[in-house]
C-alpha cells in the first residue's frame, strides 16, 4: 500500500474514532457553539468603541473560532493519544510496519478537517443569526491562518502528552494549560477590557498570537488580512512542540 493510501486510511480511522466519541464531539464541536450563543446573548447588542465601534458579536466570531481550533487540535489530540497510550493501543500499533509519520499525519489531518468544519459552522451561524459579514475577500488569509494554527497546535498537543500521566488526568492537564490563556488572550473577554500588562504576558504564548492573526484575517486589518509576525510565532511554537514530541513522546503506557 502506498504512503498516500496509508495516510488516507489513518485519517479515516482518526475521523471514525473522533465522531464515535460523544465526549470528543461535545467538547470540540458543541462547546464552542454554546460559548458563542452565551457570549452573543450577554454582549450581543454592545459595541467596542476602542475597536472602532465593532459589534461584540463580530469580535466573538474569530474569538470562538480560536477556541474551536485549539480544542480540535491541541486538546483533542492530546486526550486521544493519552487514551490510546494508556490502553496499549499505541504500543500494539508501534509493533506494526505502519510508519510513525503516517500515524501522526492521520491525527493532525483529523484536527485540521474538524477545524475547517468549525470554521464553516461558526461563520454560517455568525452570518445568519447575527449578521456578521463573511470575509470572502480575505478568505486566503483565513484559510492560511487556520492551517498554520491547526498544524502548530496539533504538534503542541502531541507534546502535551508527555505531562499527562494517565487518561483520567489528560482533560484536566489540557484545560489547566489552555483555559487561563483563553481569558488572558482576549478570547473570552474582549481585549479592550484586559490590562496591557496582562496582554503582554499573554503575548508570550501562542493562543494570543493565533487569535490576533485570526482576528485580522476575519475582521480585517486594512490589508489582505495576513499577520506574518503572529503566524511566524505560532509556527515557531509548533516547531518547539515537534522537538519536544520527538524527545519525550511515549508509545508505551506510563505503568509499563
Amino acid at each position: 500500500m502506498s504512503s498516500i493510501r496509508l495516510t488516507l486510511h489513518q485519517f479515516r480511522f482518526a475521523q471514525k474514532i473522533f465522531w464515535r466519541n460523544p465526549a470528543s464531539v461535545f467538547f470540540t464541536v458543541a462547546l464552542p457553539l454554546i460559548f458563542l450563543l452565551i457570549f452573543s446573548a450577554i454582549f450581543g447588542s454592545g459595541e467596542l468603541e476602542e475597536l472602532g465601534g465593532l459589534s461584540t458579536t463580530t469580535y466573538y466570531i474569530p474569538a470562538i473560532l480560536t477556541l474551536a481550533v485549539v480544542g480540535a487540535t491541541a486538546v483533542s489530540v492530546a486526550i486521544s493519544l493519552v487514551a490510546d497510550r494508556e490502553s496499549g493501543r499505541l504500543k500494539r500499533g508501534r509493533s506494526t510496519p505502519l510508519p510513525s509519520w503516517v500515524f501522526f499525519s492521520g491525527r493532525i489531518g483529523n484536527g485540521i478537517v474538524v477545524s475547517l468544519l468549525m470554521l464553516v459552522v461558526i461563520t454560517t451561524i455568525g452570518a445568519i443569526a447575527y449578521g456578521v459579514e463573511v470575509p470572502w475577500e480575505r478568505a486566503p488569509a483565513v484559510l492560511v491562518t487556520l492551517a498554520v494554527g491547526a498544524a502548530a497546535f496539533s504538534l503542541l498537543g502531541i507534546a502535551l502528552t508527555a505531562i499527562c500521566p494517565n487518561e483520567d488526568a489528560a482533560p484536566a492537564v489540557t484545560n489547566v494549560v489552555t483555559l487561563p490563556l483563553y481569558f488572558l488572550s482576549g478570547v473570552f473577554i474582549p481585549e479592550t477590557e484586559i490590562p496591557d500588562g496582562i496582554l503582554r504576558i499573554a503575548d508570550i504564548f501562542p493562543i494570543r498570537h493565533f487569535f490576533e492573526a485570526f482576528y485580522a484575517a476575519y475582521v480585517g486589518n486594512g490589508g489582505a488580512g495576513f499577520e506574518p509576525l503572529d503566524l511566524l510565532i505560532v509556527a515557531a511554537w509548533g516547531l518547539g512542540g515537534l522537538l519536544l514530541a520527538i524527545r519525550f513522546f511515549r508509545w508505551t503506557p506510563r505503568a509499563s
Side-chain angles (χ1 to χ4, degrees):
M1 186 179 289
S2 69
S3 296
I4 294 177
R5 291 183 63 186
L6 271 175
T7 303
L8 291 174
H9 176 78
Q10 278 300 119
F11 167 72
R12 289 194 296 270
F13 180 67
Q15 280 273 288
K16 288 181 180 177
I17 292 177
F18 176 81
W19 292 109
R20 290 177 180 177
N21 186 329
S24 294
V25 174
F26 175 79
F27 286 107
T28 305
V29 178
L31 195 60
L33 300 180
I34 293 172
F35 276 123
L36 175 61
L37 296 175
I38 291 174
F39 290 146
S40 298
I42 296 174
F43 305 111
S45 60
E47 293 183 349
L48 301 170
E49 297 299 333
E50 296 87 346
L51 297 179
L54 184 75
S55 71
T56 51
T57 48
T58 300
Y59 178 90
Y60 275 116
I61 295 297
I64 296 302
L65 279 169
T66 298
L67 168 70
V69 172
V70 175
T73 53
V75 176
S76 181
V77 167
I79 292 175
S80 64
L81 283 177
V82 171
D84 288 348
R85 183 189 71 196
E86 296 306 307
S87 67
R89 288 192 290 270
L90 288 187
K91 182 180 179 180
R92 291 194 294 272
R94 183 66 166 167
S95 64
T96 70
L98 181 71
S100 299
W101 70 267
V102 171
F103 171 79
F104 287 114
S105 295
R107 295 299 177 101
I108 294 173
N110 177 66
I112 293 174
V113 168
V114 175
S115 297
L116 281 169
L117 171 67
M118 294 306 294
L119 171 65
V120 173
V121 171
I122 293 174
T123 297
T124 302
I125 292 175
I128 294 175
Y130 305 114
V132 177
E133 181 183 357
V134 179
W136 296 111
E137 69 280 9
R138 294 185 297 280
V142 171
L143 293 175
V144 168
T145 300
L146 185 144
V148 171
F153 283 107
S154 293
L155 293 172
L156 288 169
I158 297 171
L160 267 177
T161 62
I163 60 173
C164 297
N166 54 55
E167 183 177 358
D168 293 334
V173 171
T174 53
N175 279 303
V176 163
V177 172
T178 57
L179 199 57
L181 292 179
Y182 293 142
F183 284 97
L184 301 180
S185 302
V187 173
F188 285 165
I189 303 171
E191 63 184 35
T192 54
E193 306 298 324
I194 301 176
D196 290 340
I198 299 297
L199 290 176
R200 281 196 289 273
I201 294 173
D203 279 337
I204 300 172
F205 302 99
I207 290 180
R208 171 65 180 167
H209 292 283
F210 182 53
F211 169 59
E212 289 191 306
F214 224 123
Y215 178 88
Y218 206 96
V219 179
N221 58 359
F226 288 99
E227 288 291 346
L229 180 58
D230 289 314
L231 291 177
L232 185 61
I233 292 173
V234 173
W237 270 91
L239 178 61
L242 173 62
L243 296 176
L244 289 172
I246 291 172
R247 175 63 182 83
F248 296 108
F249 184 78
R250 291 174 58 102
W251 294 86
T252 55
R254 282 287 182 91
S256 64

